[in-house]
Amino acid sequence: LILLRVATMSSKEERAPLQPTPGHIRPLEMDLEKANGAQSAAHAGAAGDAVGMRDAWKLVFAAGGIYGAFLYYGSLQEDVFRYEATDGSKFDAAWFLQVLEAFANVCVGFVGRKIVGGTPNLPLKSFFVTGATQVSSKAFTSLALASGLSFPVATLAKSGKMAPVMAGQLLLGGASYSIREYLQVAAIIGGTAVLSLGKKKGGESQSTPMGLFFILASLICDGLTGGIQKRLKADLKDSGLKAKPYDFMLYTNVSMMTVALIVSMGLGDFFRGYKFCMSNPAVWSLILQFSVCSAVGQSFIFYTVAHFDPLVCSTVTTTRKIFSVLLSIFTKGHTLSGQAWGGVSLAILGILSEVQSKIAASRKLKSKVSM
């Protein structure tokens, strides 16, 4: 009878409160309401578990895509610059390589923007400037590898890009850093220095003066890129515009491709690189795979940023470098001495400490917001 009455109640009528009174206690109706409440809580819990499971699978998909694409990307990059033709020559057309890599990213960015849409009237001049510094950073890294710097040294050195950023902020004023942040950067730089100064078991050096020069130039470009991107975000905020992920991918890589094409044509790099690839189809295949991996990896990064906190993306991409170094050491024939392994361990410790401090800072910020 109670169930029938509840089912036929008008939506305009209000049910009497179920508070028990001395003269009127409705234990059955109260039990039913408790049961309904428990059932609702169970459904909510199940829904939350389902959402949590979907997010977990999304994270696995995103992180797996970034790891897979960029681990292979790094391996291919090392193979390109270690390749030796029958006449003993090696590929060194770093700017030509950047033209092809940026072109692949432009294609994916264009298709992605068509699918998910874009934001009109963006400040393209700012995109051009940040694209110029980014492609310069990539080209200098490739030139470092072409000049004989080992891939593990180059990758660990790039993990210390916070150093030029900190230096710039300190020189310009208005920035302060904790002792831990200084120690983290010192560990990464110190470990990389120990590795670069150390020798392989066979006595061969891990670095060359020109290789170190180019990787330093790459880090300086990284520092400039950080400042330019901050300014770009501030300009977008002031103008009330919000760039979508594929806006960044398309416009930045159009700039990168343009700059790389101009520089490579000016240096004669473009035709020299093209001629080498035509004479050595194996290198051509490696470069095409390298470019595709770059575009796929960038897409996974944008997917991660769109579905998770930026810290998640930062953690995945930072720890990926550790695995890239270890993969190179174990699969490319790098036989390190005890001193070199000590340098690798110190740099990795600095990287992991940086990741942990970012996570702790994010949790602290969230706890303040929720209070």
Side-chain angles (χ1 to χ4, degrees), residues 279-315:
S279 302
N280 300 273
V283 172
W284 187 245
S285 175
L286 291 173
I287 289 176
L288 291 179
Q289 294 177 67
F290 168 82
S291 301
V292 171
C293 281
S294 174
V296 172
Q298 286 294 324
S299 296
F300 274 108
I301 286 177
F302 289 131
Y303 175 87
T304 306
V305 171
H307 289 85
F308 300 97
D309 187 278
L311 178 63
V312 173
C313 185
S314 175
T315 301

Side-chain angles (χ1 to χ4, degrees), residues 232-302:
L232 172 59
K233 291 178 180 178
D235 291 342
L236 290 172
K237 186 176 180 181
D238 292 340
S239 59
L241 297 172
K242 185 176 182 181
K244 296 182 179 179
Y246 283 106
D247 289 327
F248 280 104
M249 186 172 186
L250 175 62
Y251 293 130
T252 301
N253 280 281
V254 166
S255 168
M256 293 173 70
M257 184 178 68
T258 303
V259 172
L261 183 60
I262 293 172
V263 175
S264 65
M265 295 292 285
L267 297 176
D269 199 72
F270 187 91
F271 295 108
R272 186 175 72 254
Y274 178 78
K275 183 178 179 180
F276 188 92
C277 289
M278 291 297 99
S279 302
N280 300 273
V283 172
W284 187 245
S285 175
L286 291 173
I287 289 176
L288 291 179
Q289 294 177 67
F290 168 82
S291 301
V292 171
C293 281
S294 174
V296 172
Q298 286 294 324
S299 296
F300 274 108
I301 286 177
F302 289 131

Side-chain angles (χ1 to χ4, degrees), residues 187-188 344-354:
I188 296 172
V344 171
S345 301
L346 180 61
I348 289 177
L349 181 63
I351 294 171
L352 292 177
S353 177
E354 181 181 346

Side-chain angles (χ1 to χ4, degrees), residues 5 58 86 111 123 126 155 160 224 272 275 292 353:
R5 183 167 66 85
K58 284 181 181 179
T86 53
V111 174
S126 298
T155 305
L224 293 174
R272 186 175 72 254
K275 183 178 179 180
V292 171
S353 177

